[in-house]
Amino acid sequence: MTIVPVLVALAALCSTAWGQCGKPDVASASCTCNGVLYNFTTLVAPGTTYFEEEQDNSDFYFLMAQGGLPTTGVPGSSSCSSFVNPPPSNAVAGMAATSSTFCFYLALLSQQNWTISAGPPQVITIVFTGGDAGRQVTLQLQCDYHASTPIFSVQDQNPPFNFNMNMQTKLACPPGPAPPPPPPPP
């Protein structure tokens, strides 16, 4: 029968498309996925350490390296210098209305779960939970061999209280040389 080989091939394809990751090392911002150690210790924004983006009249802050955001708030921020409800441990992200100092922590650094997709491009997805009033952050780290400086963006809040963030970085790439660029269109 030809059905069995097709099902076996499909199962093999599905098992390599998504991989599980081990328990993350929160202190070093690292985790082993599919036998490869991914280390985001150096994943900081140039000049400020934390990543920041304004969207829809809100300021968003993100930091998973260097112990995350302190329980007191975002250092040096005018809109998120202190959290309304201080988190029980360091936060990974915060959000404040642009016109006020009313700031919420979106998720805890200590509560994270990693998965990895084969791509291309390879994407490491980290879900951070434990935020104020049930908020959470889903961060997708997309492999970009040419992004020597990480490119951070806040995508949306879908479903409510789930904040989707993206980052393009070479730190999310598998080991080995960068693949050649695609040929130019004819």
Side-chain angles (χ1 to χ4, degrees):
M1 296 211 134
T2 58
I3 293 176
V4 173
V6 170
L7 291 176
V8 170
L10 183 60
L13 176 66
C14 291
S15 68
T16 60
W18 281 91
Q20 288 301 312
C21 300
K23 182 178 180 190
D25 183 339
V26 174
S28 69
S30 63
C31 191
T32 300
C33 300
N34 295 340
V36 177
L37 177 65
Y38 292 91
N39 187 326
F40 296 106
T41 305
T42 60
L43 190 63
V44 294
T48 62
T49 306
Y50 57 82
F51 294 91
E52 179 179 6
E53 181 175 296
E54 183 181 335
Q55 183 187 78
D56 298 331
N57 296 317
S58 293
D59 291 328
F60 291 89
Y61 303 90
F62 179 86
L63 179 63
M64 69 180 276
Q66 301 179 355
L69 300 173
T71 58
T72 53
V74 180
S77 164
S78 59
S79 65
C80 198
S81 58
S82 64
F83 293 119
V84 172
N85 298 314
S89 60
N90 285 5
V92 72
M95 178 189 82
T98 306
S99 59
S100 76
T101 58
F102 206 59
C103 183
F104 297 98
Y105 68 96
L106 300 181
L108 297 176
L109 180 64
S110 61
Q111 296 182 22
Q112 52 182 279
N113 184 38
W114 296 41
T115 56
I116 189 168
S117 70
Q122 176 171 285
V123 176
I124 297 172
T125 301
I126 307 173
V127 177
F128 297 93
T129 58
D132 190 4
R135 290 171 172 87
Q136 71 176 37
V137 170
T138 300
L139 174 68
Q140 292 198 320
L141 295 147
Q142 181 177 337
C143 168
D144 184 341
Y145 285 97
H146 307 291
S148 55
T149 300
I151 301 165
F152 174 74
S153 64
V154 176
Q155 298 304 305
D156 58 15
Q157 185 182 166
N158 187 12
F161 283 20
N162 182 14
F163 296 86
N164 297 297
M165 301 178 179
N166 288 346
M167 195 171 303
Q168 294 174 310
T169 175
K170 63 182 179 180
L171 297 175
C173 297

